[in-house]
Every structure is written in structure tokens, then in C-alpha cells.
């Protein structure tokens, strides 16, 4: 794992994307695919793609929430059906299989609908044999990133790099098994919420994501 600690809090997602692009400058000239997890991760991925002259695309992942505690991730699912389950959490809470399958179906339906909405006709970029950089604006549990990483592997990526500006130490270390390289620039302890490590952390709207996907490759 490569890591460098920037000054926190970060100003905004633009600064975060620039710092990641600088850290990944050795990939300039390889024409990577830069995937963002909606919605904040796409804003960061767009800056990274522009800095590395890469192709920008989106990968939609949805958290699977625990019963009675929807903010607690028991796993995640991607729009193409990829899934990660946190077996330790499932076991410790005694969550039944029928709940897991129902929650998976519900979030998969939402993920597919969101991907269609965000793409607005923009075709998916082919990943087979390509260097893929997978971005989000931060990692708390890392569940959605793990589901996204497994989906990217299934799609035949030649090399997979997970790149985030800030994340919990536990999540970043756990992802080492999912990618060829993990770049997590800052791992503050205690971690708390992702937004706590930004000065400006405004919501990214669906239309912004769609607009970014429509931009020519390499556009700032």
C-alpha cells in the first residue's frame, strides 16, 4: 500500500482528486480507466481522469443495511450483480438469510435504476485488459468499494488500483486483498464520517454525474 498524508481537512473533492492524480502520475501515458462510485467518487474520479488522460466511467454500488440499523453495512451490491457480504457482521448479529437476500434484491434494483439514470445513454467503458483506477471520496467500512472491486475483477481488468484521499485504517488494509495496489492518502484515527475530513462536502447531484460522463476524455 502506498500512502502519503495530506493536510486535513481537505478543501473539497477537487483538491482530493488533484492529490490523487499527483500520486498516480506514474500512470500517465497508460490511458487508464478511472471509475467513480456515485456520487462523490465520480467527482473525484473526473479530476483523476483529466490529470492522467484516462477514460472516466461510473460503477454503481449500494450498501446492504442491517435490519433496524440501516447505516450499518452488512455488505454491498453493484448494478451488475456483484456482491460482498461482511460475514463477521452477519454472524455477530444473527441476521437470517432471507433478510440478506431480500435486502440484496432491493438494493440491486435501486443500483440498476441509478446506473441507468446516471448514464443517460452513455455506454460503459470496456475494462478487459485495461488498468483500472477505482475511486471514492472516502472509505468508512469499505463495503461498497469491495463489491465494486470484485465487479471490476469479473469484468477482466488487467490491473486494479483502489485510490481514495481518506479512509479508515481498517478499511484500507482490508482492501489490500481486492486490488493490485491501494492508495489511501490519509488514514486519520479515529476516523468518524467521511465528510468530517472535508471543509466543503456538498452533495453531488445526479445531473452533475451525468454531465461529467458526457465530457470528452481528458476534460478538466
Amino acid at each position: 500500500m502506498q500512502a502519503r498524508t495530506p493536510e486535513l481537512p481537505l478543501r473539497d473533492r477537487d483538491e482530493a482528486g488533484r492529490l490523487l492524480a499527483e500520486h498516480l502520475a506514474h500512470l500517465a501515458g497508460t490511458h487508464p480507466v478511472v471509475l467513480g462510485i456515485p456520487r462523490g467518487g465520480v467527482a473525484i474520479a473526473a479530476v483523476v481522469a483529466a490529470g492522467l488522460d484516462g477514460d472516466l466511467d461510473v460503477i454503481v454500488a449500494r450498501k446492504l443495511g442491517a435490519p433496524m440499523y440501516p447505516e450499518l453495512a452488512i455488505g454491498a451490491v453493484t448494478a451488475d450483480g456483484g456482491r460482498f457480504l461482511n460475514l463477521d457482521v452477519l454472524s455477530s448479529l444473527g441476521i437470517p438469510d432471507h433478510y440478506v437476500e431480500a435486502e440484496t434484491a432491493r438494493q440491486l434494483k435501486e443500483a440498476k435504476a441509478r446506473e441507468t439514470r446516471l448514464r443517460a445513454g452513455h455506454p460503459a467503458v470496456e475494462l478487459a485488459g485495461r488498468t483500472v483506477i477505482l475511486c471514492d471520496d472516502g472509505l468508512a467500512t469499505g463495503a461498497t468499494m469491495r463489491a465494486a472491486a470484485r465487479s471490476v475483477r469479473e469484468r477482466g481488468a488487467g490491473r486494479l488500483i483502489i485510490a481514495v484521499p481518506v479512509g479508515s485504517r481498517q478499511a484500507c488494509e482490508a482492501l489490500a486483498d481486492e486490488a493490485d495496489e491501494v492508495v489511501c492518502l490519509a488514514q486519520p484515527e479515529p476516523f468518524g464520517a467521511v465528510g468530517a475530513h472535508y471543509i466543503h462536502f456538498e452533495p453531488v447531484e445526479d445531473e452533475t454525474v451525468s454531465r461529467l460522463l458526457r465530457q470528452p476524455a481528458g476534460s478538466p
Side-chain angles (χ1 to χ4, degrees), residues 1 146 153 162 170-182:
M1 177 185 297
R146 292 183 82 162
R153 289 291 200 197
I162 291 172
Q170 182 180 18
C172 292
E173 289 177 351
L175 284 163
D177 292 335
E178 306 288 349
D180 297 295
E181 182 180 354
V182 176

Side-chain angles (χ1 to χ4, degrees), residues 35-123:
L35 299 179
I37 297 177
R39 288 173 287 188
V42 180
I44 285 180
V47 178
V48 174
L52 300 179
D53 192 27
D55 289 328
L56 174 67
D57 203 3
V58 63
I59 182 164
V60 178
R62 297 277 298 177
K63 176 175 65 178
L64 304 179
M68 307 300 293
Y69 303 99
E71 292 305 310
L72 175 61
I74 61 173
V77 65
T78 56
D80 60 4
R83 186 171 73 165
F84 160 72
L85 295 177
N86 190 325
L87 300 180
D88 290 339
V89 173
L90 290 172
S91 177
S92 65
L93 295 180
I95 298 174
D97 291 345
H98 69 81
Y99 174 86
V100 175
E101 295 308 317
E103 175 69 354
T104 296
R106 186 171 74 89
Q107 295 299 344
L108 178 59
K109 181 179 179 181
E110 173 58 30
K112 289 180 176 179
R114 173 173 283 189
E115 183 173 82
T116 298
R117 186 167 65 247
L118 294 177
R119 286 195 180 282
H122 180 83

Side-chain angles (χ1 to χ4, degrees), residues 5 8-9 139-141 166-171 186-198:
T5 304
L8 295 177
L139 294 176
T141 67
V166 62
S168 71
R169 186 176 305 278
Q170 182 180 18
Q187 300 172 36
E189 296 288 350
F191 183 75
V194 171
H197 305 293
Y198 288 81

